[in-house]
Amino acid sequence: MHIVLYQPEIPENTGNIGRTCVALGAKLWLVRPLGFRLTDRHLRRAGLDYWPHLQWEAVDDWQSLLRQLPGGCYWFFTKTAAVDYTAVSLRPDDVLVFGSESQGLPRRLLAENPDRCLRIPLDPKARSLNLAVSVAVAAYELRRQNR
């Protein structure tokens, strides 16, 4: 399983997502630019002592990621998608892609992949979920489907 954070901004979220990746045996990919330094103490604090066990890699841009992970089945998480994340069959080697906390994923990526866009349903009173929560919801659904 691969978790991709496209230009994440908040180190605490990335640290928590790193912990989730360790728990699932998933690899975390970070697409630059990042809103923090990889040495940020908040990133390390949120990741606690799990960070040394995390498989992770930072890449300079989207094209670099595609070169590193060719041929994978990419799923793009966005609140604007029409299809719920539970309505598709997820495979263990799928790539789950999440956008930044303030901007989400670029419209270009969503427009290029309309059949690969998924949403986590929300009550209309909520604008969005926290990024770390969204990753956990989706990643554990992938795990559930492949148990």
Side-chain angles (χ1 to χ4, degrees):
M1 177 187 325
H2 298 273
I3 304 295
V4 174
L5 302 182
Y6 184 91
Q7 301 179 357
E9 300 164 333
I10 301 173
E12 293 87 352
N13 281 337
T14 300
N16 284 315
I17 292 164
R19 290 170 63 184
T20 298
C21 287
V22 170
L24 289 165
K27 182 168 182 179
L28 177 62
W29 295 84
L30 305 174
V31 179
R32 291 184 179 105
L34 310 178
F36 50 87
R37 296 183 195 280
L38 290 171
T39 57
D40 191 299
R41 70 179 178 86
H42 298 291
L43 174 71
R44 301 286 186 212
R45 177 157 164 58
L48 296 174
D49 56 346
Y50 293 93
W51 202 258
H53 305 290
L54 175 64
Q55 287 185 2
W56 68 277
E57 194 166 337
V59 295
D60 289 332
D61 53 39
W62 183 251
Q63 292 306 316
S64 297
L65 177 75
L66 294 178
R67 283 191 297 276
Q68 298 263 28
L69 282 174
C73 182
Y74 287 75
W75 296 102
F76 300 87
F77 284 79
T78 172
K79 65 182 181 179
T80 62
V83 177
D84 285 358
Y85 74 106
T86 56
V88 298
S89 294
L90 301 170
R91 298 183 319 234
D93 58 344
D94 281 354
V95 181
L96 308 181
V97 183
F98 299 84
S100 71
E101 291 89 344
S102 67
Q103 301 296 313
L105 288 167
R107 291 178 196 247
R108 170 188 55 81
L109 280 181
L110 301 177
E112 291 172 357
N113 300 282
D115 59 333
R116 294 283 175 200
C117 292
L118 301 175
R119 72 183 179 108
I120 299 170
L122 301 173
D123 187 283
K125 292 184 284 290
R127 285 189 316 273
S128 64
L129 290 174
N130 174 277
L131 179 60
V133 171
S134 296
V135 169
V137 166
Y140 272 93
E141 174 62 13
L142 187 154
R143 165 63 76 73
R144 184 194 68 79
Q145 287 186 21
N146 290 279
R147 277 266 153 152

